Amino acid sequence: MASLLKISANLRSPALVGARAASSYAAAFRSALSNEPATEVTTLDSGLRVASETLPTQLATVGLYVDAGSRYEDKHNNGTANFFEHVAFKGTTKRSQSAFEQELESLGASVDATTGREETVFQARCLSKDVPKVVELLADVVQNAKLDDGDVKRAREVLLGEMEQVAAKNLRSVVFDHLHATAYQGTSLANSVWGPTANVRAIKRDDLRGYVDSHFQAPRMVLAVAGDVRQSELEKLAQQHLGKVGTTFDGKAPTLSPVRYTGSEVRVRDDSVPLAHVAVAVQGCGVNESDALPLSVAASLIGSWDRSHGAGVNSASKLAVASAHDKLSHNFESFNLTYRDTGLWGIYFVCDPLACEDMLFNVQNEWMRLCTMVTDGEVERAKRQLKTSLLADLEGPRGVCEDIGRQVLRQGRRDPLHELERRIENVSAGDVRNAAMKYIFDRCPAVASVGPVENLPDYMRIRSSMSWVRL
């Protein structure tokens, strides 16, 4: 305490105390980030990339990331990647489903698979000492899946049931599917991960095998591991268990087709639903473009809120304060979805049927403020929140593995945390305003809504509110 008093006496003002303390904390934070273990990436002769980060933990996460998802599909085979995810763990040519599950249980490990628009992921969580065995199991799944006709039939019934449940209970997912369908209509990014029901009913064993053979090739795969592992050992494991993965394609290799954004809307009015679910977005930028971070800061500044969490009237987000004070919405979340060459920046909210117009008015008012008068203080707060969110996502081996896999799959490397922190810190209020003017101001939005949305303004009114008259 005496030393703190001495320091205080030598400083001229409280503001200087705060500035020096903040500077000291920032320097310590950057030093800690720069001492984080590096991500090692190796490309094998086959084109398979092996990436790892050594963590001081007994737990590890192993992931196989593949360039395969709904964006690589067309109207005839849309839904195939997600279908394969549901039959992948039903046994291989080397081991039955029961044998596979018993081996996992004996290790105390767990596996799952997810399909997105640009990648398919097979992931396992285990003890670090069991990584070699888990790598072998995942390699067996992606190379030797049995794809028995009976398993395919059962998976089809499960999928159709899940699709019905999502349509009835997960309206957020439904709205975002509609948002992509209208924003990128006529392009592959409009494809739903699930695919249309007709496709799911028609997909057969040979369709799945053909899709795997054409997409699951070594140059399109990343083996990522986070835990107490060594890169040299992983390279040997990859060579041993994934060395026979194909490297050539029958015909032309799958590529991402160009996308075309269309400002438009889709409304699914259903008055039997108690609340309106609405998403409004503009076209953003690709994940590696210079405006990606300013747009992420802008999304963080708008923020998110749920009335069940309280604290709305005391929130730093002006939209959260308005939502809580005037009961405009039940919850909202601002988002910046980034893909390799494009993105969607916007907001999703859930509100009472008669609050749609007022909520949207406040949303667009905040968007215009982003473009014209956002302050340095607001941007500094948003940057801190963004860094906190990013670091929270990297808590534990699973988050680290997912970050490694997706970054290496998309750009061939992983940005060090201290470099990412520096880039976020360099974002200024001017950068946010410039990005907002470029992507938001006077742009045609994409709108998707489900539920009792009669009170939602028509599209031309929404479009006319995407700008302010400047004098």
Side-chain angles (χ1 to χ4, degrees):
M1 179 62 71
S3 60
L4 288 176
L5 291 173
K6 183 177 180 180
I7 292 174
S8 300
N10 290 332
L11 295 175
R12 295 183 177 182
S13 69
L16 188 56
V17 175
R20 290 189 177 181
S23 177
S24 175
Y25 294 147
F29 180 61
R30 294 192 185 99
S31 176
L33 290 182
S34 64
N35 289 322
E36 284 291 301
T39 300
E40 299 183 71
V41 181
T42 305
T43 303
L44 304 183
D45 293 339
S46 64
L48 176 75
R49 286 158 289 180
V50 182
S52 69
E53 182 171 307
T54 302
L55 302 176
T57 174
Q58 296 296 316
L59 298 176
T61 299
V62 181
L64 270 172
Y65 295 76
V66 188
D67 272 329
S70 61
R71 193 176 170 186
Y72 290 97
E73 300 169 345
D74 56 36
K75 64 179 181 180
H76 302 294
N77 67 356
N78 183 206
T80 308
N82 186 55
F83 201 121
F84 177 74
E85 170 204 320
H86 283 71
V87 296
F89 299 120
K90 302 300 182 182
T92 70
T93 56
K94 295 174 60 177
R95 47 172 63 89
S96 65
Q97 180 180 353
S98 60
F100 181 84
E101 292 173 351
Q102 286 172 7
E103 288 189 60
L104 280 175
E105 187 174 349
S106 67
L107 298 174
S110 61
V111 297
D112 58 40
T114 56
T115 305
R117 285 185 161 80
E118 291 187 338
E119 67 275 320
T120 297
V121 182
F122 302 90
Q123 195 175 77
R125 293 175 294 282
C126 62
L127 296 176
S128 292
K129 67 182 181 64
D130 294 325
V131 165
K133 183 61 178 178
V134 169
V135 170
E136 191 269 326
L137 288 171
L138 290 182
D140 189 25
V141 166
V142 299
Q143 294 178 97
N144 308 308
K146 185 172 57 175
L147 301 180
D148 181 79
D149 286 333
D151 292 332
V152 172
K153 181 179 180 180
R154 284 187 288 272
R156 178 180 293 109
E157 297 305 317
V158 170
L159 264 172
L160 292 172
E162 289 181 355
M163 292 169 70
E164 288 183 3
Q165 289 184 356
V166 168
K169 298 181 180 179
N170 190 351
L171 292 183
R172 181 186 183 279
S173 178
V174 172
V175 168
F176 274 91
D177 273 348
H178 284 314
L179 183 65
H180 283 80
T182 191
Y184 294 107
Q185 54 189 276
T187 73
S188 59
L189 199 50
N191 293 337
S192 166
V193 169
W194 296 92
T197 301
N199 282 10
V200 175
R201 294 186 183 279
I203 291 173
K204 301 293 190 296
R205 176 182 183 277
D206 290 342
D207 299 319
L208 296 172
R209 175 54 61 194
Y211 188 85
V212 171
D213 290 343
S214 62
H215 288 78
F216 286 45
Q217 300 291 316
R220 301 170 60 81
M221 300 175 68
V222 172
L223 172 64
V225 183
D228 188 8
V229 294
R230 299 294 177 268
Q231 177 72 5
S232 58
E233 296 175 3
L234 287 176
E235 293 171 17
K236 294 177 182 178
L237 289 170
Q239 190 65 52
Q240 177 184 354
H241 301 299
L242 294 163
K244 295 182 180 180
V245 175
T247 60
T248 59
F249 302 88
D250 293 333
K252 189 177 180 181
T255 57
L256 289 176
S257 58
V259 296
R260 179 188 65 255
Y261 172 86
T262 303
S264 55
E265 75 165 339
V266 57
R267 298 187 186 211
V268 182
R269 183 176 173 183
D270 184 353
D271 291 344
S272 67
V273 177
L275 300 173
H277 298 252
V278 182
V280 185
V282 292
Q283 184 179 26
C285 64
V287 64
N288 294 319
E289 295 183 37
S290 60
D291 290 322
L293 277 180
L295 286 177
S296 291
V297 172
S300 181
L301 193 150
I302 298 296
S304 61
W305 177 75
D306 190 306
R307 71 175 187 176
S308 65
H309 298 164
V313 294
N314 298 314
S315 174
S317 167
K318 296 182 184 299
L319 186 59
V321 173
S323 293
H325 186 270
D326 298 326
K327 297 181 174 57
L328 296 178
S329 70
H330 288 241
N331 60 76
F332 71 82
E333 59 177 283
S334 190
F335 58 82
N336 181 31
L337 303 177
T338 54
Y339 300 102
R340 299 194 187 194
D341 53 354
T342 187
L344 287 173
W345 187 97
I347 193 168
Y348 164 78
F349 61 86
V350 179
C351 66
D352 291 321
L354 295 180
C356 291
E357 184 175 9
D358 290 341
M359 179 61 184
L360 188 58
F361 172 82
N362 280 269
V363 166
Q364 293 186 284
N365 192 59
E366 280 300 286
W367 284 9
M368 294 305 99
R369 214 173 56 78
L370 271 180
C371 300
T372 56
M373 60 181 69
V374 64
T375 65
D376 292 332
E378 290 176 301
V379 171
E380 288 301 314
R381 170 187 62 80
K383 290 193 297 186
R384 288 194 294 270
Q385 289 184 330
L386 178 60
K387 286 188 282 188
T388 299
S389 175
L390 291 174
L391 291 176
D393 289 340
L394 299 178
E395 186 69 25
R398 180 173 185 174
V400 173
C401 182
E402 290 178 352
D403 192 51
I404 292 172
R406 288 191 166 86
Q407 285 202 44
V408 174
L409 193 66
R410 288 179 170 185
Q411 59 195 39
R413 58 181 174 81
R414 184 191 182 212
D415 293 330
L417 287 181
H418 64 87
E419 174 64 20
L420 178 60
E421 191 274 340
R422 182 190 64 80
R423 288 167 53 205
I424 294 175
E425 196 59 35
N426 287 340
V427 174
S428 66
D431 295 329
V432 173
R433 285 193 295 269
N434 291 337
M437 287 296 297
K438 180 178 178 180
Y439 293 95
I440 304 173
F441 194 87
D442 201 23
R443 300 297 176 184
C444 295
V447 183
S449 57
V450 175
V453 293
E454 182 182 14
N455 188 242
L456 186 69
D458 65 67
Y459 184 80
M460 294 311 298
R461 279 189 60 194
I462 298 174
R463 175 63 181 88
S464 66
S465 298
M466 292 299 292
S467 62
W468 276 349
V469 177
R470 293 179 291 174
L471 301 177

